[in-house]
């Protein structure tokens, strides 16, 4: 009986320790040296810990990050998944027409090569509508994540195609996580999203049209100071600060944009 109680006690005490180890793993990735001080300074606006926890990203999952840009989130997700999971980075095509796309991809590839112990297992795929839409093997992903990209697809009439591609990549029961600059509910949605802002209803409609079901939303990345009426759209705010020194203190005081954080599920 004593042996049984001791074994039970050890099992109970081990379970929370194991859970704590898992919960700190993401924290360790966020605090890691692979992240620049500049990127870490934006955590107060982008809330990576809370955002990835809201999307229920686990270290054993297969995750697709859509258009990772310079790799702000890749710096966190790649080390978090490298031991037990899988990360696909669906980036631009190397034969893209726009110089920005080529340079951005080149810089991202150099980042991956610079720290093979951190990024060596990241697999690059291509998302460049309408030609390249295979972001991962069909039905292979537990999570597909996109951060502030929907307005870009809307601008080029590609949103429907990309949402369909994300749906196709996910397993049944898999989750799509979307973070996007949030438009005012009082303004009609510009279908081209020239200001960079998109309404929640518009994103939800895009997802539903692709077959997703709405799951939940969070105010993790909300910013009530964002008035969404700037001369250069969302890029007036940091980090872009498109107006440079003009009213710089004003826009720095507002901070980064008000953002929706929404998750959808692919039905089983």
């Amino acid at each position: 009986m004593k042996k049984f109680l001791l074994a039970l006690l050890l099992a109970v005490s081990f379970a929370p320790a194991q859970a704590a180890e898992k919960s700190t793993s993401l924290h360790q990735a966020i605090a890691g040296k692979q992240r620049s001080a500049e990127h870490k300074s934006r955590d107060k606006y982008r809330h990576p810990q809370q955002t990835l926890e809201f999307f229920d990203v686990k270290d054993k999952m297969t995750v697709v990050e859509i258009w990772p840009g310079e790799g702000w989130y890749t710096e966190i997700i790649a080390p978090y998944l490298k031991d037990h999971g899988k990360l696909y980075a669906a980036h631009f095509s190397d034969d893209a027409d726009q110089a920005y796309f080529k340079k951005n991809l080149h810089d991202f590839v150099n980042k991956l090569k610079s720290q093979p112990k951190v990024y060596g297992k990241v697999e690059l795929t291509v998302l460049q509508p309408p030609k390249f839409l295979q972001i991962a093997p069909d039905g292979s992903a537990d999570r597909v994540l996109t951060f502030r990209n929907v307005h870009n697809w809307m601008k080029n009439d590609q949103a429907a195609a990309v949402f369909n591609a994300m749906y196709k990549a996910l397993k049944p029961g898999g989750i799509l996580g979307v973070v996007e600059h949030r438009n005012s509910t009082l303004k009609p949605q510009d279908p081209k999203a020239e200001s960079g802002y998109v309404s929640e209803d518009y994103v939800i409609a895009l997802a539903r049209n692709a077959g997703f079901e709405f799951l939940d939303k969070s105010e993790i990345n909300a910013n009530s100071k964002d008035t969404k009426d700037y001369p250069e759209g969302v890029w007036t705010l940091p980090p872009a600060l498109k107006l440079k020194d003009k009213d710089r203190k004003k826009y720095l005081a507002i901070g980064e944009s008000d953002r929706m954080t929404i998750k959808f599920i692919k039905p089983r």
Side-chain angles (χ1 to χ4, degrees):
M1 186 66 180
K2 286 182 179 179
K3 288 183 179 179
F4 173 77
L5 290 173
L6 179 60
L8 184 61
L9 181 61
L10 287 171
V12 171
S13 61
F14 178 70
Q18 195 176 39
E21 186 181 348
K22 288 183 179 179
S23 67
T24 57
S25 176
L26 179 57
H27 173 76
Q28 288 169 353
I30 292 168
K33 292 180 180 179
Q34 79 282 356
R35 300 187 67 216
S36 67
E38 179 186 0
H39 284 187
K40 287 180 179 179
S41 71
R42 297 182 65 196
D43 288 358
K44 62 183 177 181
Y45 300 118
R46 304 194 71 176
H47 310 101
Q49 177 99 24
Q50 299 96 316
T51 300
L52 293 174
E53 286 177 347
F54 176 70
F55 293 148
D56 199 24
V57 177
K58 305 297 185 186
D59 61 0
K60 294 182 180 180
M61 288 182 170
T62 295
V63 178
V64 184
E65 184 184 1
I66 303 293
W67 277 8
E70 63 177 15
W72 195 96
Y73 256 104
T74 312
E75 290 179 0
I76 297 168
I77 302 170
Y80 181 53
L81 297 179
K82 73 180 179 68
D83 292 330
H84 307 291
K86 175 74 177 176
L87 176 60
Y88 291 97
H91 217 297
F92 305 127
S93 169
D94 58 4
D95 64 355
D97 295 332
Q98 296 186 37
Y100 167 79
F101 288 161
K102 288 184 176 180
K103 182 182 184 306
N104 201 273
L105 173 63
H106 176 77
D107 291 346
F108 184 76
V109 170
N110 284 343
K111 174 195 279 291
L112 299 189
K113 290 179 178 178
S114 69
Q115 297 188 65
K117 288 185 179 180
V118 177
Y119 305 115
K121 294 183 179 180
V122 176
E123 185 167 338
L124 270 174
T125 58
V126 181
L127 175 63
Q128 198 78 62
K131 188 176 180 181
F132 299 106
L133 291 164
Q134 184 81 45
I135 59 175
D138 292 355
S140 66
D142 298 288
R143 300 290 182 269
V144 173
L145 308 177
T146 175
F147 304 97
R148 301 169 16 257
N149 286 314
V150 178
H151 62 279
N152 293 311
W153 306 326
M154 290 171 61
K155 183 178 181 180
N156 295 297
D157 297 319
Q158 299 169 341
V162 175
F163 272 82
N164 286 334
M166 295 190 291
Y167 185 90
K168 197 172 181 181
L170 278 166
K171 299 174 181 177
I175 288 174
L176 167 65
V178 179
V179 176
E180 178 58 287
H181 310 294
R182 179 165 50 190
N183 200 10
S184 168
T185 56
L186 302 177
K187 296 178 181 178
Q189 180 61 55
D190 168 16
K192 294 286 188 179
E194 294 288 352
S195 69
Y197 289 99
V198 185
S199 73
E200 286 187 352
D201 287 346
Y202 199 92
V203 170
I204 291 170
L206 283 169
R208 283 179 169 158
N209 287 342
F212 288 102
E213 293 178 359
F214 173 82
L215 198 57
D216 199 3
K217 63 181 180 178
S218 170
E219 293 300 301
I220 297 164
N221 297 301
N223 180 0
S224 60
K225 295 179 182 178
D226 181 4
T227 55
K228 312 170 186 185
D229 56 356
Y230 314 112
E232 294 292 336
V234 72
W235 300 280
T236 307
L237 298 177
L241 291 168
K242 197 81 176 282
L243 297 180
K244 298 182 179 179
D245 290 333
K246 184 179 179 182
D247 294 325
R248 186 182 182 89
K249 288 185 178 179
K250 170 186 171 181
Y251 297 123
L252 284 173
I254 292 171
E256 296 193 16
S257 67
D258 175 49
R259 291 162 189 167
M260 69 182 84
T261 306
I262 307 181
K263 58 184 175 181
F264 304 91
I265 190 168
K266 179 175 180 175
R268 294 184 184 276

